[in-house]
Amino acid sequence: MNASTASALILLLVAAGAARADESADRPLRLIGSLQGKGAVARSFVIDGWVKPGDGDNQTSVEGWFSGLEDDPPHGAVQGSCVESHCALTVSTSDGKLSFTGELLDPKAPAPARFTAKDEDDKVVAQGTATIGPLTGPVPGLGALAAPDAVRAPEFDQLLVWNHLSAPSGSVSDEPIGDSERDSLADWQKTQNRPGTGLLFAADLAGLRAGAAAARKAAGWTDLGDKAHGWAGGYPAALLPRAERRAGEQRFASADGKATLAYAVGAPMTDAAFDALVERETGDHPERSDVGYNRVNGDMDLHYQQAGVVHVQAWHNHEGGLARMEFLYPAAAADTYDQIGAIIASTFVVSDDVKP
């Protein structure tokens, strides 16, 4: 084999390896379409999704978000599968289900497809044809979508919380924003006098980031944590200016000492010990009110009111360590501390690699 032949073979192998890598990676899929026929539930719509590798050759799956483009549009999660370019997608909305079939994977131009709409009782309420093609520019009348990777779920959750919106708590998975985030985004869009689509536009992302920055500044928010030790959190220095370390805890308090916040990372509990802690904390306590808690494996958050004091607590028990947070404040000062309590709880994020 001469040198030129060897070089050509190397280039072919590199190109083949790159192609296989591309095939194994998730990639964005953005479509815009319209429905025709009597009873069409959304005359025009956008699908903002991701194409993921499937179970076999030439098979892929699709996950993402669908929204109509009217003032009060139907919207919901999209799921489906494709064989080569032919796809069957299903949208779950508050009113039922909407399904599409056609050549939907990476279309180069608008193409015909079929749709069926069913109500909550699985009864067909509309069906007909659709025209679906690539979204290559701004959404007419609404603007440009944010870039597919402009923000991921962990950061977006924090943006929602700082803008006083509900968000999944403790997200550490580097995934695209999900259905719950989209629903909260749709609610926020309505407060901005815009259609609640749940589609993330570039202007929305800029607005959420600006709102979060202003709220963080007003609270004097100071980030805490240690990436090497697998946790992150923070405290509002404007409300809790007194800081100290005591018995392995980082502690913060209001000027009058009536509101306190503590973080600690220590040795892990055994499963039995953590079960006992959960049972003890969530058991019957007649002196407590407004009790709420959530447990998933070794992670638990709890809030309640007792003797005029609000308790906001979280535990994250993993193989390497136990991280905990406790925020206490007077119930009479709820207007001052309720929102920042939600932020403290949501920004306390612990990974599986947590350690003392």
Side-chain angles (χ1 to χ4, degrees):
M1 182 183 297
N2 59 37
S4 60
T5 301
S7 296
L9 179 58
I10 291 171
L11 290 173
L12 285 172
L13 291 172
V14 169
R20 284 193 296 272
D22 289 341
E23 289 171 1
S24 66
D26 296 354
R27 54 191 176 87
L29 177 69
R30 288 181 164 176
L31 305 172
I32 187 167
S34 60
L35 305 183
Q36 297 85 43
K38 185 177 180 180
V41 294
R43 292 294 176 183
S44 56
F45 61 88
V46 163
I47 292 175
D48 184 14
W50 291 86
V51 180
K52 300 173 177 287
D55 295 332
D57 293 341
N58 300 319
Q59 294 182 13
T60 52
S61 63
V62 175
E63 296 178 6
W65 189 255
F66 165 97
S67 180
L69 303 179
E70 297 83 12
D71 288 339
D72 188 19
H75 54 66
V78 176
Q79 289 187 324
S81 59
C82 306
V83 177
E84 295 185 339
S85 63
H86 189 83
C87 303
L89 306 181
T90 299
V91 181
S92 298
T93 72
S94 59
D95 297 325
K97 293 187 181 295
L98 181 65
S99 60
F100 295 97
T101 56
E103 304 300 310
L104 306 178
L105 191 62
D106 303 323
K108 300 299 185 290
R114 299 288 304 176
F115 83 91
T116 300
K118 295 183 178 180
D119 63 16
E120 294 175 323
D121 298 321
D122 208 34
K123 177 182 177 182
V124 174
V125 294
Q127 56 186 358
T129 59
T131 302
I132 303 177
L135 177 64
T136 57
V139 177
L142 295 177
L145 294 180
D149 267 326
V151 64
R152 306 288 278 186
E155 179 194 352
F156 196 73
D157 287 352
Q158 300 307 311
L159 294 178
L160 291 175
V161 169
W162 279 106
N163 283 275
H164 310 313
L165 298 163
S166 62
S169 61
S171 177
V172 296
S173 179
D174 185 31
E175 295 288 335
I177 61 175
D179 304 342
S180 296
E181 287 98 345
R182 297 280 195 172
D183 282 330
S184 292
L185 173 60
D187 291 340
W188 178 82
Q189 288 168 330
K190 293 175 185 177
T191 69
Q192 308 300 303
N193 297 315
R194 301 187 61 198
T197 63
L199 298 167
L200 181 58
F201 292 90
D204 293 335
L205 182 56
L208 288 168
R209 282 176 168 161
R216 286 171 63 94
K217 183 177 180 180
W221 187 259
T222 303
D223 290 321
L224 293 172
D226 185 343
K227 189 173 182 180
H229 286 73
W231 75 279
Y235 76 100
L239 295 174
L240 306 176
R242 295 164 49 185
E244 64 175 332
R245 285 184 175 271
R246 183 199 307 170
E249 291 184 331
Q250 295 186 63
R251 299 184 63 85
F252 308 90
S254 58
D256 61 8
K258 294 182 179 180
T260 62
L261 170 65
Y263 289 102
V265 181
M269 286 184 167
T270 64
D271 291 344
F274 191 73
D275 288 342
L277 180 149
V278 172
E279 184 175 351
R280 181 173 67 251
E281 292 292 340
T282 61
D284 186 23
H285 295 273
E287 70 280 12
R288 294 181 181 180
S289 61
D290 300 326
V291 179
Y293 76 94
N294 180 58
R295 179 193 179 179
V296 179
N297 299 323
D299 303 305
M300 184 177 76
D301 57 79
L302 170 70
H303 62 83
Y304 60 89
Q305 187 178 144
Q306 182 175 341
V309 176
V310 177
H311 296 242
V312 180
Q313 299 169 280
W315 295 263
H316 297 281
N317 188 46
H318 297 280
E319 184 177 349
L322 170 69
R324 61 181 177 85
M325 177 276 296
E326 181 178 61
F327 180 43
L328 310 180
Y329 60 90
D335 289 347
T336 300
Y337 294 111
D338 272 357
Q339 184 58 42
I340 203 67
I343 289 170
I344 288 169
S346 296
T347 54
F348 181 45
V349 178
V350 178
S351 76
D352 290 339
D353 298 326
V354 63
K355 58 185 178 182

CSV table of all heavy atoms in Angstrom, one decimal, residues 18 121 150 178 268 330-331 349:
chain,number,residue,atom,x,y,z
A,18,ALA,N,-16.9,9.4,12.5
A,18,ALA,CA,-17.6,10.6,12.8
A,18,ALA,C,-19.1,10.4,12.5
A,18,ALA,O,-20.0,10.8,13.2
A,18,ALA,CB,-17.1,11.8,12.0
A,121,ASP,N,-61.9,10.7,26.2
A,121,ASP,CA,-62.5,9.4,26.2
A,121,ASP,C,-62.0,8.5,25.1
A,121,ASP,O,-62.6,7.5,24.8
A,121,ASP,CB,-64.0,9.5,26.2
A,121,ASP,CG,-64.6,10.2,27.4
A,121,ASP,OD1,-64.1,9.9,28.5
A,121,ASP,OD2,-65.5,11.0,27.3
A,150,ALA,N,-29.4,26.3,24.1
A,150,ALA,CA,-29.1,27.5,24.8
A,150,ALA,C,-29.3,27.4,26.3
A,150,ALA,O,-28.6,28.2,27.1
A,150,ALA,CB,-30.1,28.6,24.3
A,178,GLY,N,-37.8,19.9,30.2
A,178,GLY,CA,-38.9,18.9,30.1
A,178,GLY,C,-40.3,19.4,30.2
A,178,GLY,O,-40.5,20.6,30.1
A,268,PRO,N,-22.6,9.2,55.4
A,268,PRO,CA,-23.9,8.7,55.0
A,268,PRO,C,-24.6,7.9,56.0
A,268,PRO,O,-24.0,7.3,56.9
A,268,PRO,CB,-23.6,7.8,53.8
A,268,PRO,CG,-22.2,7.4,54.0
A,268,PRO,CD,-21.5,8.5,54.7
A,330,PRO,N,-40.0,32.8,61.2
A,330,PRO,CA,-41.3,33.1,61.8
A,330,PRO,C,-42.4,33.0,60.8
A,330,PRO,O,-42.3,33.7,59.7
A,330,PRO,CB,-41.1,34.5,62.4
A,330,PRO,CG,-39.7,34.7,62.5
A,330,PRO,CD,-39.1,34.0,61.3
A,331,ALA,N,-43.5,32.3,61.1
A,331,ALA,CA,-44.6,32.3,60.2
A,331,ALA,C,-45.2,33.7,60.0
A,331,ALA,O,-45.8,34.0,59.0
A,331,ALA,CB,-45.7,31.4,60.8
A,349,VAL,N,-28.8,21.6,45.5
A,349,VAL,CA,-28.7,20.5,44.6
A,349,VAL,C,-27.5,19.6,45.0
A,349,VAL,O,-26.4,20.0,45.2
A,349,VAL,CB,-28.5,21.0,43.2
A,349,VAL,CG1,-28.3,19.9,42.2
A,349,VAL,CG2,-29.7,21.9,42.7
